[in-house]
Amino acid sequence: MTIEVTLGDEADAVKAVKDKLVAEGVPAALAAGDSTLWGPQAQSEAAIRLGWLGLPGTSRELLPEIAKLVERARAEGLDHVVLAGMGGSSLAPEVICATEDVPLTVLDTTDPHQVRRALADRLDRTIVVVASKSGGTIETDSHRRVYEQAFRDAGIDPAERIVVVTDPGSPLERTAIEAGYPVVLADPNVGGRYSALTAFGLVPSALAGADVARLLDDAAAVAPLLAQDEGNPGLELGALLGARALHGRDKLILRDAPSDITGLPDWIEQLIAESTGKEGKGILPVVGAEAAEADDQFLVTIGPDSGTTVDGPLGAQFLVWEYATAVVGRVLGINPFDQPNVAESKENTTRILQEAGDGPLPTGTPVLTDGPVEVYGDLPGDLKNLADVLTWLLRAIPERGYLAIMAYLDREAAFDAAVVGEASFEEMTETWASADVATLRALLDYRTDHAVTFGWGPRFLHSTGQYHKGGPASGVFLQITGAVTDDVDVPGKPYTLGRLQLAQALGDLGALTSRGRPAVRLHLTDRVAGVRHLLSVAEEL
């Protein structure tokens, strides 16, 4: 495991932070699981959240149980693995499987088009991993209900196709036992975003065909280094991130270099944003940018490259970044294991659904309409079109601020439609157009020196959503929603996926506007035409 650092005039500041950590005995204390490192207010939480330090060893106990699940799935010809999970329950398996080039369908969405397409893909050969630490995640609960109904409608016993990963004693464990589903219990002393090497990361990855024992081997190889004062990659990385944040470089540009690892920045994004974005502090990871453009930004490359790089096998990367994030919490004076603002958007969603009943959701009235795009928000009255709105948003970004784009659309549309190969020309056109909305980040990033992030809703609510509300009050927010043309009922619930998706968007928007954050919602009355129009306008700014 290597970390190559180019510091320039910041070398002294980073060395000072590292020396202070060493003088305080932090490396050895953290490696030993000392829950006092983040202060008395964080101690009770930290005491039940440090199990990740021992996972390279303790998770080996899961391997025989996981091997039996894999053997059964192979014997029954179940080669389409679907993971229903959010945040830490899905991001690590996605990276693991992408890195090993094994297929995994990840459902971390409430977009009905994305879910319906997954349902239509080889249901007769599908095994579903339902993963939720709390056991009450609304998205995952909805996916479970939808798949149970789909299996029954196809004459398939859900107990033969659903595997549950959860914490001991959760509501999901009880539901699974009653339904006869196999249950793999995760370590309850590990938070969701630190759970890459728990059952949450290992079970779906192994079912998809990944070598999870090797992940643990690679993590175990680096673990002894994390108690050292020198040659400790977690300490080096944590001191670097913390020192730069203290000196105003709090936007972390994460770039993937060509290497054996694929997609790790998406996992790091959640780990750092949700762990550090609180009490008006934090580091904002930016995925997709190629360079640091302003003095509040700095670049870290994953894989061998020049400049500041973090290189090593995936299992080691997981453990080192987790250790470094815990170190950053110490440096910034925050608790890296809680997420105090995540529940707010969830509560808003529940309230919106309950208050609306069977009636329309409180979307409000558009302040203007530009073709297939409706614009909602508290905006100046002189804005006449979509170009004016985007320009206003870019100008509203404060000094040392950022723009966050949040799209409640179908994030896997382009890839899945191409793979399935059975979509009509019209369906292919729609899915490619929907996925292309992610290019909006690059178009707007080109027009500002400020950091621009992009998140798929509701996935980002379990990630950067904490930073948006708990971090520095310097964000400007562009939310994108879209009309639903083929909704999915959620059995046993009074809402559809499309209705839930919109309620989640409105709930988070309310959490942002209640803090006085500049926020605009663009609603695409036609997803295909809306994305095309939005990108066309952004290109011409």
Side-chain angles (χ1 to χ4, degrees), residues 408-424:
Y408 288 78
L409 298 169
D410 182 348
R411 84 173 175 95
E412 293 291 349
F415 177 78
D416 282 356
V419 170
V420 171
E422 298 175 356
S424 67

Side-chain angles (χ1 to χ4, degrees), residues 53-283:
L53 289 160
L55 290 175
T58 58
S59 282
R60 292 186 186 281
E61 299 171 6
L62 295 172
L63 295 181
E65 184 179 3
I66 293 173
K68 291 179 182 178
L69 289 173
V70 172
E71 183 180 2
R72 192 200 83 181
R74 297 292 180 270
E76 297 176 4
L78 304 180
D79 57 359
H80 180 217
V81 183
V82 174
L83 170 59
M86 301 299 297
S89 298
S90 62
L91 288 165
E94 189 170 64
V95 174
I96 294 167
C97 292
T99 296
E100 296 221 9
D101 195 25
V102 294
L104 177 69
T105 296
V106 175
L107 287 183
D108 55 0
T109 183
T110 45
D111 187 83
H113 303 135
Q114 186 173 337
V115 173
R116 187 174 290 281
R117 197 173 58 258
L119 286 167
D121 183 10
R122 297 166 289 167
L123 187 67
D124 61 323
R125 290 154 46 195
T126 293
I127 184 168
V128 179
V129 179
V130 177
S132 171
K133 179 175 175 62
S134 69
T137 310
I138 191 170
E139 300 95 338
T140 306
D141 178 70
S142 299
H143 299 148
R144 175 183 61 81
R145 293 169 179 271
V146 167
Y147 263 96
E148 284 174 340
Q149 188 63 54
F151 285 136
R152 291 191 188 105
D153 290 346
I156 298 170
D157 183 355
E160 298 176 355
R161 299 301 188 87
I162 293 178
V163 175
V164 166
V165 180
T166 190
D167 275 6
S170 77
L172 181 56
E173 183 191 11
R174 293 192 294 272
T175 297
I177 291 172
E178 292 170 1
Y181 302 155
V183 180
V184 182
L185 295 176
D187 187 334
N189 293 319
V190 179
R193 56 189 177 275
Y194 291 81
S195 66
L197 299 176
T198 70
F200 288 107
L202 304 183
V203 170
S205 301
L207 284 168
D211 182 353
V212 296
R214 186 171 62 187
L215 278 175
L216 298 178
D217 290 342
D218 291 336
V222 79
L225 303 179
L226 301 182
Q228 301 176 180
D229 293 342
E230 296 297 333
N232 180 337
L235 176 64
E236 299 282 351
L237 182 58
L240 170 68
L241 299 177
R244 287 187 164 171
L246 287 177
H247 287 78
R249 291 186 180 268
D250 60 355
K251 313 298 188 305
L252 169 60
I253 312 300
L254 290 166
R255 186 169 72 89
D256 250 339
S259 72
D260 294 334
I261 297 176
T262 302
L264 188 60
D266 286 333
W267 177 82
I268 297 171
E269 178 185 52
Q270 185 211 11
L271 175 68
I272 291 181
E274 198 171 36
S275 297
T276 71
K278 59 199 71 168
E279 300 178 26
K281 306 173 185 178
I283 297 173

